[in-house]
Amino acid sequence: MPAKKALSRDQRDLIEDALTEDPAVSWAAAARRVGVHPTTVSREVNLNRGRVKYSAEAAQRRAATHRRRPRPRRLAGAATDLRAAVTAGLVAKQSPAAIAADLRAAGGAQVCAETIYQAVYAGCLPVGPRECLRTRRPRRRGRQVRHPHRRAGLPNINARPAAVNDRTEAGHFELDLIIGKNNRSALLCGIERRTRYGAIVTLPEGYRAESVLAAMVELFDQIPPDLRRSVTFDQGSEWADWATLVEHYAMTGSAE
């Protein structure tokens, strides 16, 4: 069984964001936002002081402290055939991805492209990033800062009208995305809470906010006007154009 991949700092930040916005957020909703199993989120939060006191920074420090087997970089240290092959490929202006593919085809020792990038930027190889990488960037870009997007101000799910939660009238939809393997495909799913009517729209151009908005419009164009009352999303940035949707159809919106 393959080893479980540890949470990254970015994922821990997303967990902290979800708990800050709604301390009672369900593990399933938080997990969809982070892209992991709900059990992973539950275990992470409970091991790091719980919902109210969870801190991504403190959790990251704890994870680093408890890491069992910190290993040196694979391409660092004494000369090896693998290190020589990677260096030769870089000197020949091959990309790390091409070098990794050649090594796989050769059937001997292998290394992935990300490991090569890390070794180059860490100075573990005799060639630097300006000399061998196409970007000529001397340092890797840090993780992107999450800018406030147009979803700001979307009411919390707790503010939904009672009719939505009680399922006493039709016209209240919940939207979600189904992402295919390796993020190569996506579907937009809409479920009406009372009748359980469902509709699906494909997203052939990916699931950025503008593509998701187009799919939402396509979906709600199929719904009679008197059955377009409200819509609920999760906290993902793919719903950033929510305001355009609810204004166009004169609906109310909320986020879980």
Side-chain angles (χ1 to χ4, degrees):
M1 180 180 292
K4 293 181 179 178
K5 188 175 180 180
L7 289 171
S8 68
R9 174 57 192 269
D10 282 350
Q11 289 174 313
R12 290 188 167 99
D13 283 339
L14 289 174
I15 293 174
E16 183 177 351
D17 289 347
L19 292 171
T20 299
E21 293 166 7
D22 180 10
V25 64
S26 70
W27 297 133
R32 286 196 299 270
R33 184 169 182 172
V34 179
V36 297
H37 194 274
T39 302
T40 301
V41 177
S42 172
R43 183 171 53 247
E44 166 72 11
V45 173
N46 290 329
L47 285 174
N48 291 281
R49 306 184 70 188
R51 289 175 175 268
V52 176
K53 295 184 178 181
Y54 181 83
S55 163
E57 182 178 357
Q60 185 71 19
R61 287 200 305 268
R62 181 182 183 277
T65 301
H66 289 80
R67 189 173 296 147
R68 293 181 178 179
R69 292 177 298 174
R71 296 181 297 175
R73 296 184 186 276
R74 190 175 180 193
L75 295 176
T80 63
D81 291 343
L82 178 61
R83 189 170 188 266
V86 170
T87 301
L90 293 171
V91 170
K93 306 302 183 184
Q94 284 185 286
S95 70
I99 296 171
D102 287 348
L103 291 171
R104 284 195 300 272
Q110 300 178 24
V111 66
C112 70
E114 176 60 22
T115 299
I116 298 174
Y117 276 113
Q118 290 180 5
V120 171
Y121 280 109
C124 298
L125 297 173
V127 288
R130 286 187 179 276
E131 302 167 320
C132 63
L133 298 181
R134 293 172 183 173
T135 63
R136 300 294 188 267
R137 190 178 296 121
R139 290 180 298 277
R140 295 196 84 167
R141 288 179 177 173
R143 64 187 182 90
Q144 293 182 350
V145 177
R146 293 188 301 279
H147 298 288
H149 48 62
R150 286 164 284 179
R151 191 168 46 82
L154 185 61
N156 187 273
I157 191 172
N158 295 327
R160 293 194 307 189
V164 182
N165 297 321
D166 297 342
R167 304 179 193 270
T168 56
E169 66 178 7
H172 302 287
F173 287 81
E174 292 185 352
L175 302 186
D176 203 354
L177 292 184
I178 298 177
I179 309 301
K181 185 177 180 181
N182 297 326
N183 297 324
R184 292 179 180 173
S185 60
L187 297 174
L188 171 69
C189 301
I191 301 293
E192 201 285 315
R193 286 179 56 81
R194 183 174 186 274
T195 64
R196 311 311 292 170
Y197 166 80
I200 295 177
V201 178
T202 60
L203 288 91
E205 298 182 0
Y207 52 95
R208 292 180 177 275
E210 57 269 23
S211 299
V212 172
L213 175 61
M216 290 191 291
V217 170
E218 181 179 344
L219 186 151
F220 280 103
D221 277 348
Q222 305 173 33
I223 309 300
D226 59 338
L227 292 179
R228 298 192 295 240
R229 291 190 170 93
S230 77
V231 60
T232 301
F233 318 93
D234 61 26
Q235 298 282 355
S237 61
E238 62 270 18
W239 311 107
D241 288 327
W242 67 271
T244 301
L245 178 79
V246 299
E247 180 180 356
H248 180 72
Y249 292 109
M251 296 188 294
T252 59
S254 61
E256 62 176 339

